[in-house]
Amino acid sequence: MQEHIVVTINGEEYLAEPGQNLLDLINTTNEFVPQICYNESLGPIKTCDTCMVKVDGEIVRACGTTIHDVMEVNTTIETAKSAQKEALDRILEKHELYCTVCDYNNGSCEIHNTVAEFGLEEQSRPFEPKPYEIDNSSPFYRYDPDQCILCGRCVEVCQDVQVNETLLIDWKREQPRVVWDNDVPIDQSSCVSCGQCVTVCPCNALMEKNMVGEAGFMTDQEPGLLRSMIDLTKKTEPGYGPLFAVSDTEASMREERIEKTKTVCTYCGVGCTFDVWTKDRKILKVEPQQDSPANGISSCIKGKFGWDFVNSEERLTRPLIRKDDHFVEVEWEEALSYVSKRFNEIKKEKGADSLGFIASSKATNEESYLMQKFARQVIGTNNVDNCSRYCQSPATKGLFRTVGYGGDSGSIDDIAEAEMVITIGSNTAESHPVLASRIKRSHKLFGQKLYVFDLRKHEMAQRADRFFQPKSGTDLVWLSAVTKYIIDQGWENKDFIGKWVNGFEEYKESLSKFTLEYAEKMTNIPREDLIDIAKQIVNVDKLAICWAMGVTQHQLGSDTSTAISNLLLITGNYMRNGTGAFPLRGHNNVQGCSDFGSMPNFFPGYEKVSDDNARTRYEKAWNTEIPNEPGMDNHEMMVAIHEGKLNALYIKGEDTGIVDANINYVTEALEKLDFFVVQDLFLTHTAQYADVVLPAAPSLEKDGTFTNTERRIQRLYKALDPMGESKPDWVILKDLANKMGFDWNYRHPSEIMSEAASLAPLFAGVDYKLLENYNSLQWPVQEDGTDTPLLFTNGFPFEDNKAKLYPLSFELKHDTDEEFDLHVNNGRVLEHFHEGNMTFKSSGIVKELPSSFIEISPELAKEREIKEGAKVKLVSKAGETTGKVHITDRVSGNELYLPLNASGKSAVNYLTDNSVDKDSNTPAYKEIAVRMEVLEKKGKSPLPDNNYRRGNRQPQIGVQPERKWERKDYIFPGKVNKNG
């Protein structure tokens, strides 16, 4: 087998890999070849024709040439340069260069840069305006067809990277242009506003609206005046040389007032990183980078455009203290002195365990570390928890039981690499859109099998090879039945089990109940389908299973998560790339918040508080005594307040009064507290019950690290000063600890991380120097800085290095009945995040989805004689909520769906009760039986006409440049001088 191929480029020999793209090879040399449509993250698109080179005597596109044999390449010969110039002229015929007064003139316009490097002084064809208006219908970006060069990057990224399949180029028009869906305005299409088209556009054809009129020194002009300036610029700057000289000077001036700061997204657990462009306090754009380890050039509507909350007028800017029935702004000194005084009084009078602490999954790792340190060192209690209790604790429990670590067993790359992906209880395309795109891309382009198990026919279900709708709460049954069938057929991975797994015989015996007949009866999945699932699983070499709140938020959430891991162990789908367990973390730092110790039973790095060695290490470092029994979790804290056992509560960045189950019960608890402190960006629903409210700073206003769903620790850098007198959470915690008599002298979050790394073996080698810019580390991290992208490469973290199969039983814990005859499912929507405290501050996102809705099936709507927009009341045993109806086949039968972003009287947690997962106390949010009362039979739809769900996707593979080449007016540039 040939290992390398010799390719001669302009007389120099280079070694190429068989199958390597020629343009990729050229780009590793010092040779310059124009390549406007080419993008390293997208690969060859073959539309712009600028990369013409001579290969073995023939003019070809370098980006369209694959190296299979020895070849002679010339990039500078006259025929090649002439073809390159011809292609550039055709581009400039479509794109008007007026760089000095263009908001895209920030050093990254690839037309500008390519023309300048090529040395083109003037074009042989004049610019020809196109007969199309600018499309300004999107709230976030605009499309200017007059500046569009039809490179197709936007189409490629939409079709095959994001895989939303909205954009096309209509090559049949007399004047081709990019179109959305079947040629409708942007806001009438299936566009999900992920912004990837804008990210990859090489010029100003697609641009963020926040950039328009803001980036340049002379661009904030009315259209008529701007047009005059463009014409004047072209007259006074004959030829491109002078034009570029002036525009380059102006572009360099922009660098002095536009800051570009690397940050980590503050929404979901995917952990997207990007540069945020700011001018003063204005956020101009978010620009993903190819070096972003979790997302590359990808983004979603929230990460790309959902940052308005940072500058919201509703931000808290000074501490508040409740005086009688209202809040009064006070100085920090007064606020911290008051909190210190009350905490000390309550601790002295009722003991350290009468205080509780809830950390934030939106705050940094360092701030989680300090929150648990504050609870344990300053107060002396293990009563500390975070919102993983509301979502992912059962997944962590199930993985700890079986494989020893409670995190993703690989990277997002492993999910993409799997031959088969199963998603269970995960609305991935809306909850984790960038990660979903990796699955959609592998499924569309590379033959990955996709099986989806969920109650709703959401996007991933629509795309799946097979979609199953098991009865709510019965995933454990089909998982165990499929596992049993595999073992009964002798299909288990005997070698893997023999070498790496304990407890097989006992586990095998425990499966006796889970026959195919029992599973069919309990889940409503036919026996034949269960057999097919088993066959598919054992017929692929690499299986990855992703799951989320549809699994964990049940009374058997931990057991179902355990069943997933059992299945993976039986089939040998651990310890290899492309395999494993992937519990998809919800918040940006819900993984890190738990990792760094904000849990009642764990120190940082998941060492038990009952472990004498671990506890002694922390006691010595902190010069204190720490209880050896676990403290209260979130759920237990609310019960303890009602029982009079918990008297003070400190909540940081968590809207517990909305997001915890059984709102009425929780808010009654908050009212009973002797003393209540909330630390947040806004006066949230929860903060309104507080005695003291401390104004915190969001991620853009501080340094620190977040840990994403794949255990990836990434740095975020301060882009803006804190608004008003607000402070980063770590500063507030430090100041409060010092006010209470301790000596916390941290000057920067890096010092906090250093302390955590010195105490927690899981993070031993984590160092800010190793995390600079787009570098990252996936825990465990050895002392020498070696990280672990793939867990379990040398066994499992148990004494004998073997995983454990964990026997399970099943009993259906909830159901509908004659009175409460409907089941309410709930979860996230693409546009908003959780309760919407941040996203509802974005006018653009609110325009896309201004309110929540209740999804009802067409058959149920017909039965209850209601139409779109009807107003209904849902009543459960715990409470009631009202909302507007959206009729859709995403739900079926008596299943309803209510998004989590519903607030006010539409909030789903008015319906939930105190039922919890038996092993983790995670609320059983998904187990809601209700009756429906019709208040109004029809009304205005809660889903706007401009919402993407009303669009009409147009899937195809890539840009299809062949359609361009088939046009009668197209001439291959190489033919113009073929005989030259």
Side-chain angles (χ1 to χ4, degrees):
M1 182 178 175
Q2 190 175 7
E3 293 186 2
H4 290 95
I5 297 171
V6 176
V7 176
T8 304
I9 303 175
N10 300 337
E12 293 285 330
E13 290 187 349
Y14 298 91
L15 293 179
E17 300 286 339
Q20 186 174 358
N21 181 274
L22 176 57
L23 186 57
D24 282 341
L25 177 64
I26 293 171
N27 287 341
T28 66
T29 74
N30 292 322
E31 304 296 337
F32 166 73
V33 172
Q35 46 192 288
I36 289 174
C37 76
Y38 183 77
N39 178 288
E40 198 170 342
S41 295
L42 302 177
I45 298 176
K46 301 185 287 190
T47 53
C48 76
D49 292 340
T50 60
C51 65
M52 295 296 177
V53 297
K54 198 163 193 175
V55 176
D56 298 335
E58 184 177 2
I59 298 296
V60 298
R61 299 177 189 89
C63 76
T65 302
T66 303
I67 300 168
H68 293 299
D69 208 344
V70 174
M71 60 173 57
E72 183 101 15
V73 180
N74 196 308
T75 69
T76 59
I77 194 169
E78 179 56 33
T79 48
K81 298 300 279 187
S82 181
Q84 293 168 10
K85 181 181 183 304
E86 172 69 17
L88 286 170
D89 278 338
R90 293 180 188 179
I91 284 172
L92 295 175
E93 190 178 11
K94 298 186 184 78
H95 179 87
E96 186 174 22
L97 281 173
Y98 50 83
C99 308
T100 309
V101 289
C102 172
D103 282 298
Y104 203 86
N105 183 39
N106 299 286
S108 55
C109 176
E110 294 179 54
I111 299 178
H112 172 120
N113 295 343
T114 302
V115 170
E117 188 162 0
F118 187 83
L120 191 66
E121 276 298 318
E122 55 188 34
Q123 63 196 87
S124 56
R125 293 187 181 89
F127 166 73
E128 292 288 341
K130 304 181 191 79
Y132 306 121
E133 297 294 319
I134 293 175
D135 188 340
N136 273 307
S137 62
S138 163
F140 306 110
Y141 67 94
R142 62 106 178 98
Y143 172 58
D144 185 352
D146 229 18
Q147 291 295 88
C148 178
I149 62 171
L150 301 177
C151 68
R153 284 188 183 185
C154 58
V155 176
E156 177 67 33
V157 81
C158 183
Q159 289 285 345
D160 294 343
V161 177
Q162 157 65 19
V163 199
N164 199 58
E165 301 170 324
T166 298
L167 296 183
L168 308 167
I169 294 179
D170 185 351
W171 294 112
K172 293 181 180 179
R173 292 176 180 236
E174 181 180 350
Q175 287 273 10
R177 60 158 282 175
V178 175
V179 296
W180 278 250
D181 282 358
N182 44 355
D183 200 2
V184 297
I186 297 170
D187 75 338
Q188 299 299 309
S189 74
S190 60
C191 173
V192 293
S193 302
C194 69
Q196 292 181 42
C197 58
V198 187
T199 295
V200 300
C201 182
C203 60
N204 62 340
L206 285 161
M207 192 152 57
E208 298 88 345
K209 283 189 170 180
N210 282 358
M211 285 280 288
V212 177
E214 290 287 350
F217 282 87
M218 296 178 284
T219 55
D220 186 16
Q221 308 293 339
E222 293 297 319
L225 180 56
L226 189 61
R227 180 72 252 171
S228 299
M229 293 173 65
I230 292 168
D231 293 338
L232 179 63
T233 300
K234 293 174 73 173
K235 286 178 183 177
T236 57
E237 297 171 355
Y240 292 139
L243 172 70
F244 291 156
V246 174
S247 64
D248 288 347
T249 300
E250 196 265 354
S252 65
M253 291 168 60
R254 297 181 187 188
E255 293 292 320
E256 296 178 9
R257 67 170 183 170
I258 296 177
E259 297 290 333
K260 300 172 186 177
T261 310
K262 184 254 183 169
T263 193
V264 184
C265 187
T266 191
Y267 285 107
C268 83
V270 173
C272 294
T273 49
F274 25 66
D275 285 352
V276 58
W277 291 30
T278 54
K279 186 179 80 172
D280 300 323
R281 281 201 68 90
K282 291 180 180 176
I283 298 169
L284 301 186
K285 72 183 291 188
V286 161
E287 187 174 51
Q289 303 292 313
Q290 184 182 328
D291 293 336
S292 300
N295 60 300
I297 57 171
S298 296
S299 54
C300 80
I301 180 174
K302 298 183 289 291
K304 180 79 173 173
F305 299 114
W307 295 88
D308 298 34
F309 72 91
V310 172
N311 288 317
S312 169
E313 293 179 357
E314 297 177 43
R315 280 278 305 274
L316 296 171
T317 58
R318 296 191 71 196
L320 304 175
I321 289 181
R322 184 180 297 279
K323 302 286 177 72
D324 299 322
D325 61 348
H326 62 281
F327 286 112
V328 176
E329 287 189 347
V330 298
E331 299 296 331
W332 273 104
E333 173 64 27
E334 181 179 349
L336 294 178
S337 294
Y338 182 49
V339 173
S340 172
K341 174 175 173 289
R342 292 294 290 125
F343 277 178
N344 279 326
E345 287 173 349
I346 293 168
K347 177 182 176 181
K348 183 177 180 180
E349 181 184 347
K350 299 183 178 179
D353 287 337
S354 67
L355 291 90
F357 299 83
I358 298 177
S360 174
S361 296
K362 286 270 166 277
T364 64
N365 290 322
E366 294 77 11
E367 290 162 341
S368 173
Y369 178 84
L370 289 193
M371 190 68 162
Q372 61 87 33
K373 181 178 179 179
F374 188 94
R376 291 178 167 124
Q377 183 197 40
V378 177
I379 302 299
T381 182
N382 285 321
N383 293 343
V384 59
D385 204 3
N386 73 88
C387 86
S388 69
R389 188 68 49 198
Y390 301 144
C391 55
Q392 283 300 326
S393 288
T396 302
K397 183 78 172 179
L399 292 175
F400 267 125
R401 284 172 170 172
T402 52
V403 292
Y405 278 136
D408 285 7
S409 50
S411 302
I412 294 171
D413 287 344
D414 290 306
I415 300 174
E417 185 184 324
E419 290 178 36
M420 182 179 189
V421 167
I422 295 176
T423 72
I424 310 172
S426 170
N427 180 9
T428 324
E430 296 191 63
S431 297
H432 303 89
V434 169
L435 186 150
S437 290
R438 297 296 300 277
I439 299 173
K440 293 191 288 184
R441 175 177 168 83
S442 292
H443 182 249
K444 178 179 182 178
L445 300 183
F446 306 116
Q448 184 182 78
K449 292 179 181 177
L450 175 61
Y451 276 30
V452 170
F453 295 78
D454 213 309
L455 302 182
R456 294 172 71 231
K457 195 173 183 180
H458 46 59
E459 181 186 339
M460 299 305 281
Q462 293 165 6
R463 293 180 177 275
D465 296 298
R466 295 293 305 274
F467 169 49
F468 303 94
Q469 292 175 285
K471 179 180 173 66
S472 175
T474 65
D475 288 307
L476 185 154
V477 178
W478 73 257
L479 283 159
S480 298
V482 165
T483 306
K484 172 177 165 55
Y485 186 79
I486 289 171
I487 294 172
D488 288 346
Q489 302 306 306
W491 294 343
E492 73 273 18
N493 191 323
K494 297 177 180 65
D495 291 341
F496 181 86
I497 294 168
K499 186 175 183 180
W500 296 113
V501 184
N502 284 325
F504 177 75
E505 292 301 330
E506 181 188 357
Y507 174 66
K508 180 180 176 181
E509 289 176 19
S510 75
L511 291 173
S512 59
K513 176 181 180 179
F514 297 102
T515 62
L516 295 177
E517 293 71 26
Y518 175 74
E520 180 174 13
K521 176 185 175 183
M522 296 304 298
T523 68
N524 296 329
I525 300 176
R527 181 180 190 276
E528 295 74 20
D529 286 341
L530 294 167
I531 293 173
D532 173 73
I533 294 163
K535 287 180 177 177
Q536 292 295 326
I537 286 172
V538 297
N539 283 335
V540 296
D541 181 48
K542 296 180 177 181
L543 168 69
I545 300 182
C546 304
W547 73 102
M549 296 185 293
V551 167
T552 59
Q553 293 178 336
H554 285 274
Q555 292 180 66
L556 296 178
S558 293
D559 282 355
T560 306
S561 300
T562 306
I564 292 170
S565 192
N566 284 337
L567 173 57
L568 290 166
L569 286 170
I570 285 294
T571 54
N573 279 293
Y574 275 114
M575 298 180 70
R576 294 177 294 135
N577 287 114
T579 68
F582 296 87
L584 305 181
R585 306 308 193 185
H587 285 261
N588 59 300
N589 203 40
V590 69
Q591 180 71 56
C593 196
S594 296
D595 292 346
F596 281 82
S598 288
M599 300 188 79
N601 54 334
F602 287 126
F603 289 116
Y606 301 101
E607 294 184 286
K608 294 179 179 179
V609 296
S610 58
D611 181 330
D612 292 341
N613 290 332
R615 195 176 60 260
T616 300
R617 190 187 323 131
Y618 282 90
E619 288 178 335
K620 183 177 179 181
W622 296 344
N623 191 28
T624 191
E625 289 187 12
I626 301 171
N628 63 0
E629 293 291 327
M632 296 183 215
D633 61 37
N634 292 358
H635 175 75
E636 291 167 335
M637 288 183 200
M638 296 303 142
V639 174
I641 295 169
H642 279 285
E643 294 176 348
K645 297 176 182 176
L646 193 77
N647 308 99
L649 188 61
Y650 184 177
I651 296 180
K652 178 183 71 175
E654 185 68 48
D655 202 354
T656 307
I658 283 286
V659 302
D660 202 348
N662 199 344
I663 288 177
N664 293 323
Y665 180 82
V666 170
T667 51
E668 285 170 12
L670 300 181
E671 288 177 327
K672 289 181 177 180
L673 286 164
D674 292 346
F675 188 58
F676 184 25
V677 179
V678 170
Q679 192 164 301
D680 216 314
L681 308 182
F682 304 104
L683 192 65
T684 62
H685 181 79
T686 304
Q688 293 172 30
Y689 292 88
D691 297 293
V692 178
V693 183
L694 304 176
S699 58
L700 288 189
E701 296 175 0
K702 59 189 174 187
D703 292 316
T705 61
F706 290 151
T707 304
N708 77 343
T709 190
E710 52 181 355
R711 301 172 285 104
R712 187 183 300 280
I713 303 170
Q714 302 181 100
R715 276 186 72 175
L716 51 137
Y717 295 81
K718 178 181 170 184
L720 302 169
D721 289 330
M723 180 180 280
E725 295 177 25
S726 64
K727 296 181 180 183
D729 294 281
W730 70 270
V731 174
I732 300 172
L733 285 163
K734 180 190 76 167
D735 291 348
L736 182 57
N738 290 339
K739 185 64 69 176
M740 295 185 71
F742 287 77
D743 183 22
W744 287 14
N745 56 6
Y746 309 108
R747 295 162 297 176
H748 188 266
S750 59
E751 297 174 354
I752 305 171
M753 178 61 79
S754 294
E755 179 180 317
S758 72
L759 290 169
L762 200 68
F763 313 119
V766 177
D767 186 284
Y768 266 43
K769 291 178 181 177
L770 299 177
L771 296 170
E772 287 183 355
N773 299 317
Y774 283 87
N775 294 320
S776 64
L777 295 167
Q778 289 171 269
W779 63 252
V781 183
Q782 307 303 318
E783 270 193 74
D784 64 0
T786 303
D787 70 340
T788 316
L790 179 68
L791 279 178
F792 318 127
T793 53
N794 298 303
F796 299 87
F798 294 112
E799 282 188 14
D800 62 359
N801 226 24
K802 289 187 176 184
K804 302 176 181 179
L805 287 165
Y806 192 93
L808 300 165
S809 58
F810 177 79
E811 179 186 352
L812 187 63
K813 296 285 189 177
H814 74 100
D815 211 340
T816 54
D817 57 31
E818 192 170 326
E819 179 183 1
F820 299 100
D821 58 332
L822 306 176
H823 175 254
V824 176
N825 188 17
N826 54 85
R828 296 202 167 99
V829 290
L830 175 69
E831 298 91 336
H832 290 287
F833 194 83
H834 218 75
E835 75 286 344
N837 282 343
M838 298 189 297
T839 48
F840 274 113
K841 307 297 190 293
S842 167
S843 58
I845 290 178
V846 170
K847 181 183 176 186
E848 295 287 309
L849 193 65
S851 62
S852 193
F853 47 78
I854 300 171
E855 286 187 351
I856 291 181
S857 67
E859 56 266 37
L860 183 61
K862 183 178 180 181
E863 176 191 311
R864 303 296 166 97
E865 298 181 335
I866 56 178
K867 304 291 186 184
E868 179 76 8
K871 186 177 182 181
V872 299
K873 178 191 289 185
L874 304 180
V875 182
S876 73
K877 292 179 181 178
E880 61 185 44
T881 185
T882 58
K884 289 285 193 85
V885 164
H886 174 51
I887 300 170
T888 173
D889 62 3
R890 282 193 291 275
V891 290
S892 59
N894 286 358
E895 286 288 343
L896 311 180
Y897 184 78
L898 181 56
L900 295 174
N901 64 287
S903 56
K905 289 301 178 184
S906 295
V908 68
N909 283 321
Y910 282 112
L911 301 173
T912 50
D913 60 21
N914 287 344
S915 300
V916 294
D917 170 45
K918 64 183 180 62
D919 297 305
S920 69
N921 277 343
T922 293
Y925 293 102
K926 300 295 188 281
E927 300 181 2
I928 313 171
V930 300
R931 68 172 185 266
M932 181 197 298
E933 298 175 9
V934 178
L935 304 179
E936 297 172 7
K937 288 202 167 187
K938 62 180 180 179
K940 184 179 179 182
S941 174
L943 199 66
D945 292 340
N946 62 299
N947 188 273
Y948 80 91
R949 294 170 181 81
R950 299 192 184 279
N952 182 16
R953 291 191 178 102
Q954 303 290 311
Q956 67 179 37
I957 303 293
V959 183
Q960 301 187 350
E962 297 82 5
R963 296 185 181 185
K964 173 183 178 179
W965 305 337
E966 290 165 0
R967 288 176 58 91
K968 292 180 180 178
D969 60 358
Y970 175 76
I971 301 173
F972 181 66
K975 286 186 177 179
V976 176
N977 295 288
K978 182 132 183 166
N979 298 317

